[in-house]
Amino acid sequence: AQSVTQPDIHITVSEGASLELRCNYSYGATPYLFWYVQSPGQGLQLLLKYFSGDTLVQGIKGFEAEFKRSQSSFNLRKPSVHWSDAAEYFCAVGPARNYGQNFVFGPGTRLSVLP
Amino acid sequence: GAVVSQHPSWVICKSGTSVKIECRSLDFQATTMFWYRQFPKQSLMLMATSNEGSKATYEQGVEKDKFLINHASLTLSTLTVTSAHPEDSSFYICSARDPGQYEQFFGPGTRLTVL
């Protein structure tokens, strides 16, 4: 069965501290991997994606993620968090090269940032 | 990235009435659009996959007669909530897939409140 887990429901960090959001997946086929961010009452914005190649991918807003096939993980990181990063973060997986099939989303991790 | 719009951004209606939500891809032609529902502090739940010119594919448990989806053109899909009830109150998000790119682009969402 296809599934995405985000073990941390809610994380609180201080502004300027580093951040790591965890994502693990179970997927039968070769996956494409994504991280999205959602601010309250808003849609989802793509932070970064991994299709193939270098397993460390850079995204917008200073975020990066590392794909580790052996651990079925795609953790999101940021070296220094800003107050504006407070939001909900969703990890998602999709089947490689199957444009008609939907993604599977994780339950989300809510990030709070302390001043 | 590609832009997807939704209209309206919020709507309040009386129980028993019908509400139509539009999803438009503004700068690309979307052969596939997805409709999601999101409850407070929860992840996205896929309701249906909409393919231009054909019937939508509904996920298990989603009533096709209550949530009518029409994808009449390559830039527009509509979701009509028929005979709305308070339990239909939710945040509805659409996404569209640009055939030239793999990832989905999300609309800003529509907040539906049924009184």
Side-chain angles (χ1 to χ4, degrees):
Chain A
Q2 304 164 357
S3 67
V4 178
T5 57
Q6 294 178 244
D8 305 302
I9 297 174
H10 183 202
I11 284 182
T12 300
V13 299
S14 298
E15 190 169 21
S18 63
L19 171 71
E20 182 170 35
L21 302 182
R22 295 181 290 167
C23 172
N24 294 95
Y25 66 89
S26 174
Y27 210 78
T30 302
Y32 286 173
L33 298 155
F34 307 84
W35 274 101
Y36 288 89
V37 61
Q38 183 182 33
S39 297
Q42 302 292 318
L44 275 67
Q45 181 183 22
L46 180 67
L47 285 176
L48 47 77
K49 61 190 177 187
Y50 172 78
F51 287 179
S52 65
D54 192 345
T55 56
L56 184 64
V57 293
Q58 302 297 321
I60 62 172
K61 304 184 180 185
F63 285 93
E64 66 177 26
E66 185 172 13
F67 170 57
K68 292 185 177 180
R69 185 185 300 274
S70 62
Q71 299 178 20
S72 296
S73 68
F74 189 56
N75 295 346
L76 182 71
R77 300 194 294 252
K78 186 170 185 178
S80 178
V81 170
H82 188 262
W83 64 267
S84 60
D85 294 324
E88 190 84 19
Y89 291 79
F90 294 98
C91 179
V93 298
R97 295 181 294 280
N98 186 340
Y99 282 57
Q101 196 165 342
N102 187 46
F103 297 173
V104 177
F105 285 87
T109 296
R110 183 161 59 95
L111 173 65
S112 297
V113 180
L114 299 175
Chain B
V3 180
V4 175
S5 69
Q6 276 184 248
H7 179 81
S9 56
W10 59 270
V11 56
I12 301 173
C13 69
K14 292 182 178 180
S15 186
T17 61
S18 295
V19 174
K20 179 184 285 188
I21 302 171
E22 294 184 348
C23 177
R24 293 182 185 272
S25 55
L26 298 185
D27 50 5
F28 66 98
Q29 294 184 326
T31 52
T32 303
M33 290 185 172
F34 302 93
W35 285 97
Y36 297 86
R37 184 173 181 176
Q38 186 180 31
F39 291 102
K41 299 185 179 180
Q42 295 189 27
S43 189
L44 281 70
M45 181 191 78
L46 179 67
M47 298 175 68
T49 301
S50 169
N51 292 296
E52 187 268 337
S54 63
K55 291 183 178 180
T57 302
Y58 290 81
E59 295 299 300
Q60 191 172 8
V62 178
E63 299 176 59
K64 61 180 65 177
D65 294 330
K66 180 167 186 61
F67 299 100
L68 301 178
I69 292 172
N70 183 282
H71 193 161
S73 78
L74 286 172
T75 59
L76 173 65
S77 177
T78 59
L79 168 68
T80 301
V81 183
T82 62
S83 186
H85 288 90
E87 57 265 31
D88 299 323
S89 298
S90 191
F91 194 55
Y92 293 88
I93 304 177
C94 74
S95 71
R97 178 170 275 158
D98 181 343
Q101 304 185 60
Y102 183 84
E103 65 262 37
Q104 296 180 31
F105 299 96
F106 286 82
T110 297
R111 172 76 58 193
L112 170 63
T113 301
V114 184
L115 302 177

